[in-house]
Amino acid sequence: MLEFENYVPVDVVFGLKKLETIGKYAKKYGTKALIVTTGPFFKESGLVDRIAGYLKKEGVDSEYFCDVSPNPHSNETYAGANFAVKTGCNIVIGLGGGSAIDAAKCIAVTVAQGGDIWPYWMGQKEIYAALPIIAVTTTSGTGSHISQYSVITNPETNEKPGAGSPLLYAKVAIVDPELMISLPKKMTAATGFDVLAHAIEAYTSKSATPFSEMYCERSIKIVGKYIRRTVQNGGDVEARVMMALADTLSGFSIAIAVITMCHAMSHAVGGVCNTVHGETLAAMTPSTIRHSMSFSPEKYKNIGAWLKGYDKAPADWKLEQTVEAVEELIKDIGMDIPLSQQGVKRSDFDEIIKGTIGYMGGGCDLDPAAPISADVVRKVLEESF
Ligand SMILES: [Fe+2]
């Protein structure tokens, strides 16, 4: 019989110019915010100062921390937490893509709990405290503004786990598509593909529910229709708005149904080789679909048909057509970059396999083709190389 739980407690504030309202939300949760970004770009562009102004208007002070890498490192989040404590911040705002938002979440936990957070990120202990988090997403996207996950890399161990906890939900997610208009073409394509990968994996996950399936269907249809437009013309506001919606829907879907083999592998690849998340997913998604599609054929047929604009898969739709639809999309957005061109070496495979079925094993277990063996992971790596 049908049974499920559906808990995604995020106040989503969606629309052009919604960033201007951030102070109104922030003041509900604290008096001083740490704004976290990856690098100084948003300070130099004036966005950080604009946000500081919106906060100040509502009586909220702010500080700014930008020493965070794309694929944020645990030593960086410790430094950010020390800075937050020193400056008396009691809210953390993640401004950027998934890296900035995930770093903000990790800083929020590190400040509230103190001590070593790594056992909590490795899933060995339950996160028990976090400062309130506000997510301002500037990409479409990573889903992190909606989900209860935070992915952090430990540079000493090359592990890149995603911690999951209800305390890692943002209190408020501000999705202002105006912030995405200046996102460069390559980042638009990579983060746009991540949106699709979230929807594909959550839709086929063993934890899928009627809610998550609904989010995935709408997200996949939107990506099929709009992703090429955002890549071809970043200033296409309608397409940017729709991809921001797809990212948000996909975020809800992974909050409920998590991810499967491809994301599990992508984290392990990223941990070892510091690759771009969306590019790595694009390299491996066709092969992972080929491996898993016969275990849930109706769902995989729908994915391809939705990408091609059908409302549901026609009776004669073949599974291979779904792989072709995904491959065509990857090519059209310039994401057909094999792992070998992303800095991955065959000599990295053993460590990647170990991480995939080790600390990312929970994701593999949700794949329709689970259990996922080391041989399967190696085969996908070879096919994506
Ligand atoms: Fe992702």
Side-chain angles (χ1 to χ4, degrees):
M1 294 300 282
L2 183 65
E3 47 179 64
F4 61 87
E5 192 174 337
N6 193 86
Y7 179 70
V8 190
V10 183
D11 185 356
V12 180
V13 182
F14 187 103
L16 292 167
K17 307 225 177 281
K18 289 293 183 194
L19 181 64
E20 295 171 16
T21 65
I22 190 168
K24 188 175 93 181
Y25 297 94
K27 74 176 177 190
K28 285 202 247 177
Y29 297 104
T31 52
K32 191 169 189 185
L34 179 69
I35 302 171
V36 178
T37 67
T38 50
F41 176 77
F42 289 127
K43 178 72 178 170
E44 288 160 10
S45 76
L47 186 58
V48 170
D49 291 340
R50 260 175 68 201
I51 293 177
Y54 299 143
L55 292 168
K56 192 75 206 161
K57 237 166 70 183
E58 297 289 342
V60 178
D61 290 326
S62 59
E63 295 284 346
Y64 157 70
F65 182 77
C66 74
D67 294 331
V68 175
S69 310
N71 294 335
H73 289 175
S74 44
N75 52 335
E76 297 165 343
T77 54
Y78 285 121
N82 285 336
F83 181 67
V85 170
K86 213 169 73 191
T87 52
C89 292
N90 47 22
I91 329 172
V92 189
I93 297 176
L95 168 67
S99 299
I101 297 170
D102 286 0
K105 290 177 176 182
C106 187
I107 290 170
V109 172
T110 311
V111 172
Q113 293 193 177
D116 180 12
I117 54 91
W118 199 244
Y120 298 87
W121 255 250
M122 289 297 279
Q124 293 150 359
K125 291 182 178 179
E126 290 266 334
I127 291 168
Y128 62 85
L131 294 184
I133 300 151
I134 294 180
V136 179
T137 179
T138 62
T139 67
S140 297
T142 63
S144 180
H145 57 311
I146 307 297
S147 80
Q148 71 281 45
Y149 300 111
S150 162
V151 181
I152 301 292
T153 300
N154 183 335
E156 283 165 29
T157 61
N158 287 345
E159 290 160 325
K160 186 186 174 189
S165 163
L167 290 164
L168 293 178
Y169 282 115
K171 298 285 184 206
V172 184
I174 296 187
V175 189
D176 184 340
E178 199 174 68
L179 302 177
M180 296 149 201
I181 285 166
S182 56
L183 191 68
K185 201 184 217 48
K186 214 165 169 204
M187 284 301 289
T188 300
T191 54
F193 190 81
D194 192 19
V195 172
L196 179 62
H198 291 155
I200 291 174
E201 295 179 47
Y203 182 59
T204 55
S205 159
K206 287 185 169 181
S207 289
T209 75
F211 277 80
S212 63
E213 288 171 358
M214 192 172 68
Y215 293 129
C216 295
E217 175 175 352
R218 186 83 201 280
S219 178
I220 293 167
K221 286 176 174 172
I222 293 171
V223 172
K225 193 165 169 192
Y226 291 99
I227 192 172
R228 292 170 176 85
R229 277 173 52 181
T230 55
V231 174
Q232 279 152 15
N233 173 16
D236 184 334
V237 176
E238 187 200 2
R240 287 287 193 193
V241 169
M242 293 311 287
M243 281 303 294
L245 174 60
D247 175 31
T248 301
L249 294 165
S250 280
F252 275 95
S253 78
I254 57 169
I256 301 164
V258 205
I259 45 79
T260 58
M261 172 171 37
C262 196
H263 258 77
M265 289 185 64
S266 174
H267 282 225
V269 172
V272 178
C273 306
N274 195 28
T275 53
V276 176
H277 179 59
E279 282 182 17
T280 305
L281 291 165
M284 301 190 299
T285 291
S287 172
T288 51
I289 291 179
R290 264 198 192 95
H291 177 75
S292 302
M293 62 190 182
S294 62
F295 294 88
S296 186
E298 295 315 311
K299 283 195 163 182
Y300 281 99
K301 282 181 187 175
N302 280 338
I303 290 166
W306 290 338
L307 281 176
K308 297 298 269 181
Y310 292 94
D311 201 41
K312 64 189 256 257
D316 59 350
W317 190 270
K318 297 192 176 45
L319 280 169
E320 190 54 33
Q321 286 175 269
T322 291
V323 183
E324 286 163 13
V326 173
E327 284 176 333
E328 187 185 298
L329 182 144
I330 289 169
K331 220 167 178 212
D332 288 349
I333 61 170
M335 283 286 108
D336 49 336
I337 309 164
L339 292 179
S340 57
Q341 287 175 32
Q342 296 183 31
V344 180
K345 299 185 292 301
R346 276 207 171 81
S347 55
D348 297 320
F349 281 10
D350 285 341
E351 200 179 355
I352 292 167
I353 293 164
K354 196 173 147 218
T356 302
I357 56 179
Y359 71 88
M360 289 306 297
C364 293
D365 290 343
L366 296 177
D367 198 277
I372 303 296
S373 69
D375 288 346
V376 167
V377 177
R378 190 179 297 278
K379 185 166 177 270
V380 170
L381 288 170
E382 275 297 342
E383 287 176 2
S384 313
F385 194 67

